[in-house]
Amino acid sequence: MASRKSNKKQEKGDKYSVLLPTYNERENLPLIVWLLVKYFGDSGYNYEIIVIDDGSPDGTLQVAEELQKIYGEDKILLRPRAKKLGLGTAYIHGIQHATGNFIFIMDADLSHHPKFIPEFIEKQREGGFDVVSGTRYSGNGGVYGWDLRRKLISRGANFVTQVLLRPGASDLTGSFRLYKKEVLESLIERCVSKGYVFQMEMIVRARQLGYSIGEVPISFVDRVYGESKLGGNEIVSFLKGLLTLFATT
């Protein structure tokens, strides 16, 4: 299928909206926001950071409110929700308030370092890509801070996904990506998965719809504060979702 790349817009008019879904990230949020402000500021790109907190009981929203006072309401937008409603709906909620023509999605737990953001933008502009995905499994990408079990689960999941779905991208389960806004809206409309399968389905659907995908090698570092949300239930859900995608794509 032919690519649906839209005409390249004036680069000087580009604006990047960063969607940060949060749940119990009060320790990590000030650091990730400071790093985002630093790297966007140093590179001169126009940006906004949209914090979508799902009723964190640890006071994440109150921390976000203080950060908004420091950096300004034009740079830090708070769009909280009353409770945890899922990653996909968090993105939909954030997109509705985004004023950028490009959308970054990334984790708020410092596992995705904002220093890679200029590389994402340069890659997108070089190839006019609809999606640019961070990859841990190509070039000089890598994973740091995981035990052997986590590495085996991630590598195994990625390998099985590659064999079954042939997605045309080296890292299916990562969640550090840059999308053209209209492309992200189109993909979310079509995705039905939840949890960790959601990110995988986004790339599979992008390939299915003929969107172009570029990749940037990244270093993934396990969260500094807080607990990982990966458990046995998530692994079972991933396998069920993988089989569903295999049967329907």
Side-chain angles (χ1 to χ4, degrees), residues 134-160:
T135 177
R136 299 161 289 181
Y137 305 127
S138 180
N140 59 354
V143 175
Y144 303 91
W146 276 2
D147 59 23
L148 181 60
R149 172 181 169 272
R150 287 289 301 274
K151 288 182 178 180
L152 288 174
I153 290 172
S154 180
R155 281 283 190 179
N158 204 62
F159 175 76
V160 172

Side-chain angles (χ1 to χ4, degrees), residues 192-216:
V192 297
S193 303
K194 296 180 180 180
Y196 289 89
V197 184
F198 176 79
Q199 301 293 1
M200 180 174 66
E201 184 178 0
M202 292 281 279
I203 290 293
V204 173
R205 298 295 180 195
R207 180 214 63 188
Q208 189 179 48
L209 293 167
Y211 290 125
S212 57
I213 304 171
E215 291 191 317
V216 169

Side-chain angles (χ1 to χ4, degrees), residues 6-7 25-26 29 62 64 78 80 102 105 111 144 150 195 202 233:
S6 57
N7 293 331
E25 299 289 0
R26 64 169 292 132
L29 191 61
Q62 288 70 39
L78 308 182
F102 287 93
I105 63 168
S111 58
Y144 303 91
R150 287 289 301 274
M202 292 281 279
N233 290 337

Side-chain angles (χ1 to χ4, degrees), residues 133-193:
S133 181
T135 177
R136 299 161 289 181
Y137 305 127
S138 180
N140 59 354
V143 175
Y144 303 91
W146 276 2
D147 59 23
L148 181 60
R149 172 181 169 272
R150 287 289 301 274
K151 288 182 178 180
L152 288 174
I153 290 172
S154 180
R155 281 283 190 179
N158 204 62
F159 175 76
V160 172
T161 303
Q162 295 288 342
V163 171
L164 292 180
L165 302 180
R166 300 180 302 279
S170 63
D171 191 344
L172 273 291
T173 55
S175 55
F176 192 0
R177 295 176 186 163
L178 171 63
Y179 292 89
K180 291 181 179 178
K181 183 178 182 180
E182 66 272 17
V183 170
L184 181 57
E185 290 173 327
S186 173
L187 291 172
I188 285 181
E189 286 178 1
R190 293 168 170 82
C191 286
V192 297
S193 303

Side-chain angles (χ1 to χ4, degrees), residues 6-17:
S6 57
N7 293 331
K8 194 174 182 181
K9 298 181 181 180
Q10 292 294 322
E11 292 184 354
K12 291 182 179 178
D14 287 338
K15 183 175 182 179
Y16 299 89
S17 299

